């Protein structure tokens, strides 16, 4: 991606203050790209993320920004914080993406104002429909496994918008299962795990919000015991 900075309407010679400001901006952008400022997870700072040939400003989701491979982010307009930026960002698709799964290797570093000229917003272009970033939702899968490796999904809970909420419910279910499942489902090991939410299979999930997850598990076990199961490896 190339950004061209031109001088308009000035004869050769000493730079005007306006031209000098453009040159300084260009130099600051080059320095920021060549020497990104390190970003520390949990710092609360926005980050610079590569989106195709562009660089965008992103806000990491608190509690979901420590992953070594993937973190959760929301793309924001480079001038976020100003009313005009919100309106412009809405026009260009910045405000309707929600939380996204961002690969760690696309993070350039901490966000710097010098990156603003490299964004879609600076080019007055909408964000692309396909960002190579899946929604950053989470779920809990309760799996019953035999010793031969075959398994059956007893229950799928989700979506959760924060990983710690999914982990909390998985821990609660595992505590509830301890010492009981041997009599409920003989011959199987049953565990609850916090995993990524399967957006394309959303109809197989049960919404956990405002419900008793242990009651949902009990219902799933009863259904398994009373109906034939389809087993998969």
């Amino acid at each position: 991606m190339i950004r061209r900075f031109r001088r308009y309407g000035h004869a050769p010679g000493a730079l005007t203050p306006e031209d000098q400001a453009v040159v300084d901006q260009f130099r600051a952008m080059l320095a920021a790209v060549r020497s990104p400022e390190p970003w520390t997870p949990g710092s609360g700072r926005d980050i610079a993320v590569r989106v195709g040939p562009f660089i965008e400003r992103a806000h990491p989701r608190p509690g979901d920004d420590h992953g070594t491979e993937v973190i959760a982010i929301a793309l924001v307009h480079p001038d976020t914080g100003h009313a005009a930026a919100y309106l412009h960002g809405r026009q260009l698709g910045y405000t309707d993406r929600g939380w996204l799964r961002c690969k760690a290797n696309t993070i350039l570093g901490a966000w710097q104002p010098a990156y603003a000229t490299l964004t879609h917003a600076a080019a007055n272009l909408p964000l692309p429909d396909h960002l190579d970033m899946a929604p950053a939702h989470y779920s809990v899968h309760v799996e019953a496994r035999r010793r031969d490796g075959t398994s059956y999904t007893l229950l799928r809970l989700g979506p959760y918008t924060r990983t710690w909420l999914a982990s909390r419910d998985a821990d609660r279910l595992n505590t509830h299962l301890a010492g009981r499942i041997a009599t409920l489902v003989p011959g199987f090991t049953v565990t609850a795990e916090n995993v990524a939410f399967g957006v394309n299979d959303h109809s197989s999930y049960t919404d956990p919000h405002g419900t008793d997850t242990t009651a949902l598990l009990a219902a799933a076990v009863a259904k398994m015991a009373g109906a034939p199961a389809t087993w998969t490896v």
Side-chain angles (χ1 to χ4, degrees), residues 117-174:
T117 58
L118 303 177
T119 62
H120 285 80
N124 204 32
L125 293 173
L127 290 175
D129 292 334
H130 302 289
L131 293 170
D132 193 28
M133 296 182 185
H137 294 160
Y138 305 90
S139 66
V140 173
H141 286 192
V142 181
E143 301 282 338
R145 296 184 178 87
R146 281 175 169 168
R147 291 183 179 179
D148 63 4
T150 56
S151 64
Y152 176 70
T153 303
L154 283 172
L155 183 65
R156 293 182 179 183
L157 299 173
Y160 295 86
T161 57
R162 294 192 177 184
T163 186
W164 70 266
L165 292 172
S167 295
R168 180 198 63 186
D169 277 2
D171 290 343
R172 285 178 177 174
L173 291 176
N174 283 323

Side-chain angles (χ1 to χ4, degrees), residues 5-175:
F5 293 79
R6 297 187 179 94
R7 298 175 62 196
Y8 294 98
H10 299 294
L15 294 177
T16 66
E18 293 80 6
D19 288 340
Q20 186 62 55
V22 172
V23 172
D24 292 343
Q25 181 185 31
F26 181 70
R27 288 175 175 170
M29 181 270 290
L30 287 180
V33 172
R34 292 172 178 172
S35 302
E37 182 181 348
W39 170 72
T40 303
S43 64
R45 297 188 60 185
D46 285 352
I47 58 177
V49 177
R50 296 183 183 89
V51 178
F54 294 82
I55 294 176
E56 294 294 339
R57 181 178 181 178
H59 181 64
R61 185 163 67 189
D64 282 330
D65 59 354
H66 290 76
T68 58
E69 297 182 1
V70 178
I71 67 170
I73 65 161
L75 294 176
V76 296
H77 191 280
D79 296 327
T80 288
H82 302 283
Y86 175 79
L87 294 175
H88 191 220
R90 188 170 186 177
Q91 294 171 351
L92 300 181
Y94 281 84
T95 61
D96 57 0
R97 300 306 177 108
W99 294 108
L100 302 169
R101 295 170 63 84
C102 174
K103 298 177 182 177
N105 60 11
T106 66
I107 300 173
L108 187 62
W111 172 258
Q112 301 181 54
Y115 293 131
T117 58
L118 303 177
T119 62
H120 285 80
N124 204 32
L125 293 173
L127 290 175
D129 292 334
H130 302 289
L131 293 170
D132 193 28
M133 296 182 185
H137 294 160
Y138 305 90
S139 66
V140 173
H141 286 192
V142 181
E143 301 282 338
R145 296 184 178 87
R146 281 175 169 168
R147 291 183 179 179
D148 63 4
T150 56
S151 64
Y152 176 70
T153 303
L154 283 172
L155 183 65
R156 293 182 179 183
L157 299 173
Y160 295 86
T161 57
R162 294 192 177 184
T163 186
W164 70 266
L165 292 172
S167 295
R168 180 198 63 186
D169 277 2
D171 290 343
R172 285 178 177 174
L173 291 176
N174 283 323
T175 299

